[in-house]
Amino acid sequence: MATTFVSVPLKKSSEVDVAKPLSKFIHDTYPSGDTQADYVRAAEELNKLRKSAVGRPLDKHDSSLEILLRYYDQLCAIEPKFPFSENQLCLTFTWKDAFDKGSLFGGSVKLALASLGYEKSCVLFNIGALASQIAAEQNLENDEGLKAAAKYYQLASGVFQHIKDTVLSALNREPTMDISPDTVGTLSLIMLAQAQEVFFLKAAADKMKDAIIAKLANQAADYYGDAFKQCQYKENLPKYFYFQEVLPVLAAKHCMMQANAEYHQSILAKQQKKFGEEIARLQHASDLVKTVASRYDEYINVKDLSDKISRALTAAKKDNDFIYHDRVPDLKDLETIGKATLVKPTPVNVPMSQKFTDLFEKMVPLAVQQALSIYNQRRADLVNRLIAQMREATNLANGVLASLNLPAAIEDISGDSIPQSILEKSKGVIQQGGLQAIDQLIRDLPELLQRNREILDEALKILDQEEVTDNELKAKFKERWQRTPSNELYKPLRTEGANFRTTLDRAVQADKVVRERYAAHSEVIALLCKPEAELNAAIPSGNPTKSLQGSEVVMLLKTLLASLNEVKKERETFENDVKSVQFDMTSKFLTALAQDGAVNEEAISVTELDQIYGSHTQRVQQNLKKQEELLANIQTAHEEFSTSKQSNADANQREEVLKKLAAAHDQFVELVGNLREGTKFYNGFTEFLLKFQTKCSDIVFARKTERDELLKDLQQSIAKAPSAPTIPVAPAYQTAFSIEGNTPAVPTPAPRTVFQPKPQPPARPPPPSVGSTFPAAPIAAVPAATSAPAVPASVGGAGVQSQAQGPPYPTYQGFPGYYPVPMPMAYNQYAYGQYNMPYMYQPPGQPPFQSAQQPQQPGYPYPPQQYYQQ
C-alpha cells in the first residue's frame, strides 16, 4: 500500500535589515560603552540569523528546522525589550502567500506590516511547513522513521493551531489567506490525521492486537473526514486545497483508513466466531477500497490493501457458505468501531529550541526600561524639589540681609570707605564678567531658541507632508487602500511635538522675565563693576554706627550672621549629597516582573525613594527651620541696632545705596545662573528635538516604503483585472423563443429599399449528384408561390442566423425576395449567404448568357438557366 502525505509549502519573505533600526535604538537609549557595543553586535547577529532562517532556501533537514526555531525564540526574547510599533521602532516585514504562485502579469499575493507579531506568525508557519516536509521525507519502513514522522506531524499540528489562536490578535488586521484562522486550523487537523495514520502504520508493523489497530485506523479516518469537511464547507480556503491534490487525498485517506479499520475489525469478529459480521465488514472494506481505486487511483495506490481484503473476503464467504452458514448482517446493524487517539498537537512553548541562547540576555525588558525611566523622572523631580527648596531659602536669606543692609551696616565704621562685604561682592561680579557676560548670554538665547523651533517645525512638516499624501491615496483608492491612516498613527508623535512646543513657549516666557529683571537692576550692577575708587565715590559718606562699635548688639549681629553663613554652606553640602545619590532599581523591577508578570512602578518607586532620600529630606527640613530661627533673631537684633544708631540724611542715603549694591549682587548671581541654565536647557533640548526629528524621519521613510509596496500590489491587481468591457445583453429578438418550440424566432428584417420587380425566373433546380442516375422524365418546376421546405434557423453553429427562407433565388439586390441579412453573432465563413455566394460577373450592356454559350453538364437533365443582370 503506497502512502501519500500532504506537506505544506514555505512562505517567502523579502529582505529586511534588522540591524540598522535596532542599533539606532540602542545608540539612542543606552549610554556609550561596552554594554552598548555588545548590544550592537547582538543586533548584527540577529540580522545574520534572519538571513539564515528566511533569506535562503531551506533543506528538508533537522538543521534547517533548528535555525527556524532559534530565530523564532529570539523574536520572542526581543519582543519585550524593544518598542516594535509603527510609530516607534518601525520594522516592516513583507511575506508572500505560501499557496499563491502569482500570475504572468502580477506577482503573488503578499502583505507588508510593521509588526513583530506578523513576523512571528509567518516564521511559525514556516516551522510547521518545514516540519510537515521533513515528516513526509521519512522512511516509514523502519521504526525510527515512523517515530520521527509522528513527532514532526504533531509539531506541525501544534504550530498551526497556535497560529490559529493568536494570528488575529497579533496582526490587528486581515491576514493573507495562508495564515488565516480557517486555513491554519484545517492544516492543523490534516497534520494531526497524518500523525494518527503514522501511529496506525507503526501498530500494524509491530503486529499489535487487531482491536487496537482498528481503533487507531478508525480515529485516523475520523480526523481525515473532519479535515475533508472543513475543506468542503470553508469558503475562504486557498485554491491549493482544491487544485493541488489535497482534497482528493483527504477523501481517499478517509476511505482507506476506514477500510483498514473494517478489515482489522473483521479479523476480530472472526476470532469471536462472528462469521457473518466478518463478511459484512470485509464487504464494506472492499466497497471502500473500490471507491478509492476508481476515483482516486492517481493519488493513492491501494492495490495491496484491495488484494488483501479480496482474499480475506473470498475465504470468509467460502467458509461461511460450506461450514458456518452464519447470517450476514446489514452494515447499519454492525457495532460501531471504537476510536483510540495517540496524537495531540505539540504545544508551542518558548524556547522551542533546546540550543537557544538569547543574544540580548543582558538587556532588560521594555516594561522594566519604562519603569526605570519613570523612576528616574520621579527621582529627578524629588531631587530638584529639594534643591529648589534650599536655593529658595538661600535667596530668601540674601534678600532679608540686603533689605537690612547686613553685614555692610555693621562693617561701615569710617563712613567714607567701602564695606568689606560690598568689595567682595564687587570683585565677584567683575570676575564673572559683569554686564558683558549677561549681555552675551542674553544675545545667545534667541539663536538657540530659533534653532530649536526650526528643528521642531521641520519634524512636524515631514509628518504633515506624508499625511497629505496618504489622504490623497486614500481618497483615490478608497477601500483598497488598506493600511493604518497617518492621522491615527501620528497621534503620539503629534502629542509629543505639542509638548515640545509648549515647553519652548514656557522657556520664552522665562526668558522674558529674566530680561525684565536685568533691565531693572542693570544700572546698579554696572556700578558694582566699576573700579574701587569710582565705586567709593558713588557711595555717599556718613557714619551713623561710630558710637556703636564694640556694642553688645553689634557683636550679636555678627554672631548671628556667621551662623547664617554656616547654614548656607551646609545647604551647599546637602545639595551635592542629594545629587550624588545613585541606586539601581533594575533588579527590583525585574523581580517584580518575574513574580507578578507586571511592574507596579509607582508603589515600588515611592517606597524606595522614601528609603533612599528620607534622611536627606529630613536634614534639609532641619536646615530650613534653623535658618528661619536665625533670620527672626537677626531681624530682632537689627531693630535694636537701628534704634541705637545715630540717624541723619547722609547716613540714610549711604545705607540705601549699600542696600541696592548688595541686592544688585544677588540679582547678578541669580541672573547669570538663570541665563546659564537657559543656555544649557536649549542645548539639551536640541538633542531631544533632533531625536524627535529622526524618529519622525524614520517613521515617514518606513511609511513611504510601505506605501510603495502597497502601490505596487495595487498596480499588479489592476493589471490582473479583466480589461475587456462587459458583453452587452443580446436584443430581445435574438433571445426570444417561439411559443411552439425551442427554436429561436426568425429575426424581423431591417427596412430595405424597394426595387421595381423584374421578370420572375423559374425555380432553380437542386444541384446535381455526381454519379447518380437521373430519371428520363422531366420534373415539373416548382411554382414561385410554393414555399421551400423549412430549414434550420441557424447554420454553421449555434446563434448563427440563416438567410431568409423561400425559393432559392439569387440573393442579389433587385429581386423581390431580397433583404439584407444581419451579420451573425458568431460569423461562419462556410455559411451560405449573400456575401459568399458565387456568381458570374456580367458587364453592363451585354445580353444575358445563352444556353448555347454554356456547355451542358454531362448527366444534368435540366435545361441551363439564364443569368440576369443586377
Side-chain angles (χ1 to χ4, degrees), residues 210-330:
D210 291 289
I212 297 176
I213 298 176
K215 291 178 180 180
L216 291 174
N218 197 33
Q219 181 64 68
D222 197 29
Y223 283 148
Y224 277 120
D226 291 343
F228 180 79
K229 290 177 183 177
Q230 285 201 20
C231 291
Q232 272 192 320
Y233 299 120
K234 295 289 185 181
E235 297 179 354
N236 52 349
L237 291 178
K239 296 179 181 178
Y240 173 85
F241 287 91
Y242 307 103
F243 300 109
Q244 297 295 328
E245 305 179 359
V246 175
L247 198 64
V249 167
L250 295 180
K253 285 292 188 77
H254 171 68
C255 295
M256 186 186 73
M257 296 311 298
Q258 196 172 357
N260 275 292
E262 294 288 356
Y263 172 74
H264 287 280
Q265 192 69 20
S266 72
I267 297 176
L268 182 63
K270 182 178 180 180
Q271 295 171 359
Q272 297 173 352
K273 309 298 183 182
K274 299 178 181 179
F275 303 105
E277 179 183 344
E278 177 192 8
I279 294 174
R281 293 193 181 278
L282 288 173
Q283 285 178 342
H284 187 210
S286 179
D287 294 339
L288 291 170
V289 170
K290 288 178 181 177
T291 301
V292 175
S294 61
R295 297 183 182 179
Y296 312 112
D297 185 54
E298 59 180 308
Y299 306 108
I300 292 181
N301 184 5
V302 291
K303 186 178 184 304
D304 294 341
L305 178 61
S306 178
D307 293 343
K308 182 169 62 173
I309 293 173
S310 297
R311 289 193 299 268
L313 179 59
T314 302
K317 284 183 177 181
K318 181 178 179 181
D319 292 343
N320 191 55
D321 290 342
F322 287 96
I323 304 173
Y324 307 113
H325 303 290
D326 195 6
R327 185 182 67 84
V328 179
D330 292 337

Side-chain angles (χ1 to χ4, degrees), residues 14-62:
S14 301
E15 185 176 353
V16 178
D17 187 1
V18 179
K20 184 177 180 181
L22 291 185
S23 300
K24 186 177 182 305
F25 174 81
I26 292 168
H27 283 297
D28 295 342
T29 306
Y30 296 94
S32 301
D34 295 338
T35 302
Q36 185 189 88
D38 291 341
Y39 291 161
V40 172
R41 282 193 294 270
E44 294 173 354
E45 288 297 324
L46 176 61
N47 194 46
K48 294 179 182 177
L49 180 60
R50 186 182 193 277
K51 290 182 179 179
S52 300
V54 301
R56 63 182 181 88
L58 296 178
D59 298 329
K60 299 174 185 179
H61 194 267
D62 293 349

Side-chain angles (χ1 to χ4, degrees), residues 470-733:
D470 183 70
N471 292 335
E472 291 175 352
L473 292 173
K474 178 68 175 177
K476 179 178 180 180
F477 293 104
K478 296 182 172 54
E479 67 278 354
R480 289 187 293 177
W481 193 250
Q482 295 181 352
R483 72 168 184 169
T484 307
S486 296
N487 57 353
E488 295 181 8
L489 186 63
Y490 295 157
K491 282 182 180 179
L493 290 175
R494 293 196 180 279
T495 302
E496 189 176 358
N499 293 336
F500 286 147
R501 194 172 294 281
T502 302
T503 303
L504 285 178
D505 293 340
R506 290 176 181 172
V508 170
Q509 294 298 323
D511 295 345
K512 182 179 179 182
V513 172
V514 169
R515 288 191 182 91
E516 292 175 352
R517 286 169 50 200
Y518 173 65
H521 297 88
S522 59
E523 185 176 351
V524 184
I525 294 174
L527 184 60
L528 276 175
C529 296
K530 293 182 179 297
E532 182 178 349
E534 295 183 15
L535 180 60
N536 191 17
I539 300 174
S541 301
N543 187 7
T545 61
K546 187 174 182 180
S547 60
L548 296 178
Q549 297 300 321
S551 65
E552 183 178 354
V553 65
V554 171
M555 297 302 295
L556 178 60
L557 281 173
K558 288 183 177 181
T559 303
L560 292 173
L561 290 175
S563 300
L564 184 61
N565 287 332
E566 289 296 328
V567 169
K568 291 194 288 185
K569 290 181 180 179
E570 188 180 36
R571 280 201 295 269
E572 293 178 0
T573 304
F574 288 169
E575 182 174 339
N576 293 329
D577 292 342
V578 169
K579 288 180 178 179
S580 62
V581 172
Q582 297 292 336
F583 186 79
D584 189 7
M585 292 288 292
T586 304
S587 59
K588 290 189 175 294
F589 287 144
L590 285 173
T591 303
L593 182 62
Q595 292 177 352
D596 305 331
V599 180
N600 189 350
E601 182 275 330
E602 183 176 2
I604 299 174
S605 297
V606 170
T607 302
E608 291 299 323
L609 288 175
D610 288 342
Q611 294 178 0
I612 297 170
Y613 291 96
S615 59
H616 294 281
T617 303
Q618 187 176 2
R619 290 167 59 192
V620 169
Q621 295 302 324
Q622 291 175 355
N623 180 276
L624 296 179
K625 185 176 180 181
K626 186 177 181 181
Q627 174 179 291
E628 186 177 352
E629 294 174 356
L630 287 173
L631 288 177
N633 294 334
I634 288 173
Q635 288 176 335
T636 302
H638 183 268
E639 289 178 0
E640 183 180 352
F641 174 77
S642 298
T643 56
S644 302
K645 69 180 181 180
Q646 299 175 0
S647 179
N648 54 56
D650 293 338
N652 292 337
Q653 187 177 3
R654 179 181 176 84
E655 185 174 359
E656 289 296 325
V657 172
L658 292 177
K659 287 181 181 180
K660 289 182 178 180
L661 290 173
H665 169 266
D666 296 337
Q667 288 295 327
F668 174 82
V669 173
E670 188 174 354
L671 285 172
V672 170
N674 291 338
L675 290 171
R676 286 176 178 171
E677 286 181 0
T679 302
K680 183 179 179 181
F681 163 77
Y682 283 125
N683 289 328
F685 201 64
T686 300
E687 296 182 7
F688 287 104
L689 291 176
L690 288 174
K691 290 181 180 179
F692 176 71
Q693 185 185 31
T694 303
K695 189 189 300 183
C696 293
S697 301
D698 291 345
I699 190 173
V700 168
F701 178 78
R703 293 281 286 180
K704 181 179 180 298
T705 304
E706 182 185 14
R707 180 189 69 198
D708 294 342
E709 289 286 339
L710 190 54
L711 281 173
K712 183 179 178 181
D713 293 343
L714 287 174
Q715 291 170 357
Q716 291 177 352
S717 63
I718 292 172
K720 289 187 205 176
S723 58
T726 305
I727 299 175
V729 180
Y733 70 83

Side-chain angles (χ1 to χ4, degrees), residues 117-403:
Y118 175 56
E119 174 84 349
K120 287 171 56 182
S121 298
C122 294
V123 173
L124 206 56
F125 181 92
N126 274 6
I127 290 174
L130 187 58
S132 72
Q133 294 178 13
I134 295 175
E137 292 292 318
Q138 298 300 316
N139 182 10
L140 302 183
E141 300 296 329
N142 57 58
D143 195 59
E144 293 297 327
L146 289 169
K147 289 181 180 179
K151 182 185 75 171
Y152 287 124
Y153 280 134
Q154 290 179 90
L155 172 62
S157 179
V159 163
F160 291 133
Q161 183 64 39
H162 184 80
I163 298 174
K164 177 186 177 183
D165 297 336
T166 60
V167 65
L168 293 181
S169 60
L171 269 63
N172 293 323
R173 63 165 293 172
E174 191 69 24
T176 50
M177 192 172 290
D178 55 347
I179 59 173
S180 65
D182 288 341
T183 302
V184 292
T186 303
L187 290 175
S188 176
L189 194 53
I190 293 173
M191 296 299 117
L192 199 64
Q194 295 184 153
Q196 180 74 14
E197 182 184 354
V198 171
F199 272 103
F200 157 75
L201 295 175
K202 187 177 188 308
D206 294 343
K207 297 182 180 180
M208 299 179 69
K209 293 181 179 180
D210 291 289
I212 297 176
I213 298 176
K215 291 178 180 180
L216 291 174
N218 197 33
Q219 181 64 68
D222 197 29
Y223 283 148
Y224 277 120
D226 291 343
F228 180 79
K229 290 177 183 177
Q230 285 201 20
C231 291
Q232 272 192 320
Y233 299 120
K234 295 289 185 181
E235 297 179 354
N236 52 349
L237 291 178
K239 296 179 181 178
Y240 173 85
F241 287 91
Y242 307 103
F243 300 109
Q244 297 295 328
E245 305 179 359
V246 175
L247 198 64
V249 167
L250 295 180
K253 285 292 188 77
H254 171 68
C255 295
M256 186 186 73
M257 296 311 298
Q258 196 172 357
N260 275 292
E262 294 288 356
Y263 172 74
H264 287 280
Q265 192 69 20
S266 72
I267 297 176
L268 182 63
K270 182 178 180 180
Q271 295 171 359
Q272 297 173 352
K273 309 298 183 182
K274 299 178 181 179
F275 303 105
E277 179 183 344
E278 177 192 8
I279 294 174
R281 293 193 181 278
L282 288 173
Q283 285 178 342
H284 187 210
S286 179
D287 294 339
L288 291 170
V289 170
K290 288 178 181 177
T291 301
V292 175
S294 61
R295 297 183 182 179
Y296 312 112
D297 185 54
E298 59 180 308
Y299 306 108
I300 292 181
N301 184 5
V302 291
K303 186 178 184 304
D304 294 341
L305 178 61
S306 178
D307 293 343
K308 182 169 62 173
I309 293 173
S310 297
R311 289 193 299 268
L313 179 59
T314 302
K317 284 183 177 181
K318 181 178 179 181
D319 292 343
N320 191 55
D321 290 342
F322 287 96
I323 304 173
Y324 307 113
H325 303 290
D326 195 6
R327 185 182 67 84
V328 179
D330 292 337
L331 184 62
K332 61 182 180 181
D333 297 331
L334 296 176
E335 291 184 6
T336 304
I337 303 175
K339 299 175 184 177
T341 180
L342 295 180
V343 297
K344 63 179 181 179
T346 303
V348 177
N349 295 322
V350 179
M352 298 182 70
S353 171
Q354 297 179 356
K355 302 178 182 179
F356 170 67
T357 302
D358 188 4
L359 297 173
F360 298 89
E361 185 176 4
K362 296 180 181 179
M363 182 180 289
V364 297
L366 191 61
V368 176
Q369 294 180 30
Q370 294 173 345
L372 286 172
S373 177
I374 300 175
Y375 162 77
N376 290 331
Q377 186 62 43
R378 290 182 187 276
R379 173 182 170 276
D381 292 342
L382 176 61
V383 170
N384 291 335
R385 187 164 59 250
L386 289 175
I387 294 175
Q389 287 180 351
M390 291 187 286
R391 289 181 178 180
E392 185 178 353
T394 300
N395 292 334
L396 176 63
N398 293 336
V400 170
L401 294 180
S403 65

